Every structure is written in structure tokens, then in C-alpha cells.
Amino acid sequence: MTMNCERGVARLMDYLEGVVPRAARERIESHVAGCARCRAFVVSYRATPLILRVATARKPTVDERRRLLAALSARRHGRES
Ligand SMILES: [Zn+2]
């Protein structure tokens, strides 16, 4: 049974998360190998977590932390009183 791209995208996401059984993996891999659309999807999907990791890697500055803590404690005090 050949896999079409519409069904493929959902399967492809499972495949990329590593939650598909071996038989399905092989079918997906052979489809992706011959399908430019799905290959592009795989490439962009794999690039996304990396982008997110880079974006969140920066630690907040001391000033940002202080403001965040102040905002949190202000909210807590506001609720208690
Ligand atoms: Zn495809």
C-alpha cells in the first residue's frame, strides 16, 4: 500500500517523534526518499526544535529576574490581602 502525502504528514510527525512501529517506519522512509514534499517537511520539522532551543537558551538578565520576581510576589500579595 502506498502512502499519500495527506495521510503522510500525520504519520510523518509520529515517525519524527519515533512513535511508529518498524514496519510503518520503513514505509514512511521509502515514501520520503521519493517525495520532495515530504523530504522538505522532514527537514523543516527537524529544524524547528533547534530554533526553539536557541531562542530559549538565553538566560534572563538579573534585572529581568528581579522584575519577574517582583511581579510574581506582587500578584501573590494581591491575592492574599
Ligand atoms: Zn509525500
Side-chain angles (χ1 to χ4, degrees), residues 13-81:
M13 283 169 62
D14 290 344
Y15 164 72
L16 289 164
E17 299 295 341
V19 296
V20 293
R22 181 184 288 267
R25 279 183 81 89
E26 281 166 8
R27 212 157 53 219
I28 292 163
E29 273 163 10
S30 72
H31 173 83
V32 170
C35 178
R37 227 168 98 182
C38 289
R39 254 200 328 268
F41 179 83
V42 168
V43 169
S44 67
Y45 187 91
R46 284 193 170 142
T48 305
L50 185 69
I51 290 162
L52 290 176
R53 227 179 295 139
V54 169
T56 56
R58 191 183 67 93
K59 285 206 169 98
T61 63
V62 174
D63 194 50
E64 283 169 343
R65 282 172 62 105
R66 201 177 293 144
R67 265 191 310 218
L68 184 65
L69 288 173
L72 286 173
S73 83
R75 196 188 301 166
R76 199 180 307 136
H77 288 307
R79 201 186 295 148
E80 277 166 10
S81 61

